[in-house]
Amino acid sequence: MKTIKFLSICALSVLAFSCSSDDDNNGGGNDNKKFDLEIDAQDDFDAQDFKGNINTNIKLSASTEYLLTGPLKVKSGNTLTIEAGTIIKAKSGRTDVFLAVEQGAKIEAKGTAAAPIRFTSDASNPAPGDWGGIVVAGKTPTNKGATAETEVAGLNYGGTDTEDNSGTLSYVIAEYTGAKINGEQEFNGISLYTIGTKTTINNIAVFNGADDGVEFFGGTVNVENILCVNIKDDMFDFTEGYTGKITNAFGVREKDFSDATEDPRGIEGDSNGSNTAATPVSKPTFENVTIINLSADTALKSGAEIRRGSEVTINNLFFGTVGTASFGNRIDTKDDKGDGTVTITGAVQQGNVGEDKIGGTINGTFTTNDNAITIGADNVVSIANGVGADFSKFSWTNYTVKN
């Protein structure tokens, strides 16, 4: 057995220094009226009023704490470099506070295990949805057409370059994301639109997100080591022809988590709900995945809902609950806009994880291991070696939880 110590997520929060209750929707959706400040040189912005169009290469330093106060958009041909250990706080209570990287631009956010980069809320009592999140647009194909426009931030995405290089996100934490603009527009923690194989994404964590944790809209990028904790909607989401590989994904709802959407899932996979034959078809591979619900107050609708023409392969999958916590369905492939296909190997379950809801195809079966999760005398959760994701890969976050 390997021991995974789980403590409260509150221990992770960076101390905030200000709070705002005002709300300015301009710039949050596709009508970006707030991009009226042009950043044309390294010293051409105020670190405590950080927003605008980045029209040059700039670097953020770990020695400075930044306050994101509006839309920050990296324009095509330019690179935003963020030094390891940098803290960027976002002004809370607004839907127009986010970081967007458009097609042809790059973000080079290279944290380290010892000095991760953190995006967080500035609120004294931070909460999910305090600010938008991180949005990156690339140039790989999407099955929504030759090009499309992002749900939030007003970026174009799509193209023909499967090797698109949008930069690096490594050892990055995003907290209290998911600002909701309206019923159709809501930020995720990290939204990746048609990002290609030359983009580097690994060791990322999303805590306390009001919508999805990480969502892939098309793209070919391969991602390693994703941690999602206390996500209101889907932990891991893909759509529009995503074909990359996700290795070592760990999603957990803590015991005291009680704030969810109507249909939250561990994994949600779509291809194209209007035309399931549209290409590219979503065909990602997941390797080493854990989805755990410790909350008796909010069931996951599905451990994985794979639908609308999507086809997913999952190797070494673990679904688990403790006590009266539950999933509604284990795997669901049935949908009135088109069914899905799932192929699983090495799948293990424990607890109340429901039954499969089959409309499409499910290849493979689960085995039951009632000792996969154990609770020690100090309520410390332990998970058997080799079952699902390797939680030790997230030690750099200092995240631990108790049941």
Side-chain angles (χ1 to χ4, degrees):
M1 302 284 286
K2 65 183 176 187
T3 298
I4 301 175
K5 297 180 179 179
F6 291 107
L7 291 177
S8 171
I9 189 67
C10 295
L12 282 171
S13 299
V14 177
L15 292 176
F17 56 88
S18 67
C19 179
S20 171
S21 60
D22 59 339
D23 189 352
D24 186 341
N25 289 336
N26 288 340
N30 295 336
D31 182 14
N32 289 314
K33 299 176 182 178
K34 295 290 288 184
F35 288 120
D36 54 2
L37 177 65
E38 305 298 325
I39 300 173
D40 298 319
Q42 175 66 42
D43 59 355
D44 198 20
F45 64 91
D46 181 351
Q48 293 304 301
D49 188 15
F50 195 20
K51 61 186 177 183
N53 291 317
I54 297 177
N55 300 311
T56 187
N57 298 331
I58 68 170
K59 182 176 182 179
L60 306 188
S61 171
S63 62
T64 301
E65 188 172 278
Y66 299 86
L67 180 63
L68 194 62
T69 57
L72 183 67
K73 189 172 185 179
V74 188
K75 302 294 288 182
S76 180
N78 302 293
T79 300
L80 171 64
T81 300
I82 305 177
E83 190 174 63
T86 300
I87 296 173
I88 300 172
K89 293 183 177 180
K91 191 171 182 62
S92 64
R94 298 173 59 157
T95 62
D96 67 335
V97 178
F98 57 87
L99 169 62
V101 182
E102 72 177 28
Q103 287 182 312
K106 289 184 180 180
I107 180 171
E108 294 294 344
K110 298 180 181 179
T112 65
I117 294 165
R118 186 185 299 271
F119 292 83
T120 192
S121 168
D122 79 327
S124 55
N125 294 298
D130 270 356
W131 65 290
I134 301 169
V135 183
V136 186
K139 297 181 179 180
T140 77
T142 170
N143 62 30
K144 298 291 283 188
T147 60
E149 185 173 309
T150 58
E151 175 184 326
V152 293
L155 306 184
N156 293 325
Y157 68 98
T160 60
D161 183 7
T162 59
E163 295 185 339
D164 165 77
N165 184 354
S166 294
T168 304
L169 291 173
S170 184
Y171 293 100
V172 172
I173 295 171
E175 301 176 310
Y176 308 110
T177 57
K180 184 173 183 178
I181 300 162
N182 55 46
E184 299 297 325
Q185 295 174 293
E186 190 167 11
F187 286 90
N188 303 304
I190 300 175
S191 300
L192 303 172
Y193 287 85
T194 57
I195 303 304
T197 55
K198 289 188 176 179
T199 307
T200 300
I201 301 180
N202 57 50
N203 300 297
I204 57 177
V206 179
F207 297 107
N208 296 316
D211 196 42
D212 297 338
V214 180
E215 183 163 4
F216 301 82
F217 298 82
T220 58
V221 67
N222 300 316
V223 179
E224 186 171 4
N225 301 331
I226 309 178
L227 174 64
C228 288
V229 179
N230 290 348
I231 305 302
K232 282 190 177 185
D233 200 37
D234 308 318
M235 298 172 181
F236 312 103
D237 197 342
F238 64 87
T239 187
E240 296 187 20
Y242 175 60
T243 59
K245 183 176 182 179
I246 297 172
T247 302
N248 209 58
F250 193 105
V252 60
R253 284 177 160 186
E254 295 177 324
K255 182 179 181 179
D256 295 332
F257 179 80
S258 60
D259 189 9
T261 63
E262 293 181 355
D263 53 0
R265 306 167 179 98
I267 301 171
E268 180 181 272
D270 296 340
S271 191
N272 186 313
S274 300
N275 178 9
T276 57
T279 58
V281 174
S282 293
K283 293 184 179 181
T285 297
F286 285 75
E287 192 86 25
N288 306 332
V289 178
T290 292
I291 306 293
I292 297 177
N293 185 19
L294 303 175
S295 170
D297 292 331
T298 55
L300 280 171
K301 182 179 179 183
S302 299
E305 185 155 335
I306 309 302
R307 60 188 187 177
R308 300 176 184 175
S310 58
E311 305 172 21
V312 62
T313 298
I314 311 176
N315 303 315
N316 189 17
L317 169 64
F318 176 58
F319 287 158
T321 65
V322 172
T324 58
S326 65
F327 294 9
N329 295 304
R330 185 169 54 186
I331 293 179
D332 185 352
T333 59
K334 184 176 179 60
D335 189 84
D336 59 5
K337 293 185 179 180
D339 298 334
T341 299
V342 180
T343 299
I344 56 173
T345 59
V348 177
Q349 66 179 32
Q350 177 179 345
N352 304 314
V353 298
E355 299 295 331
D356 294 335
K357 186 175 181 180
I358 303 173
T361 302
I362 299 177
N363 300 309
T365 59
F366 281 80
T367 60
T368 299
N369 182 350
D370 290 334
N371 296 315
I373 297 177
T374 57
I375 309 297
D378 296 327
N379 290 326
V380 174
V381 175
S382 297
I383 298 180
N385 284 317
V387 176
D390 180 358
F391 189 80
S392 70
K393 299 291 187 180
F394 305 108
S395 61
W396 60 275
T397 65
N398 294 318
Y399 172 63
T400 53
V401 155
K402 287 187 178 180
N403 182 53

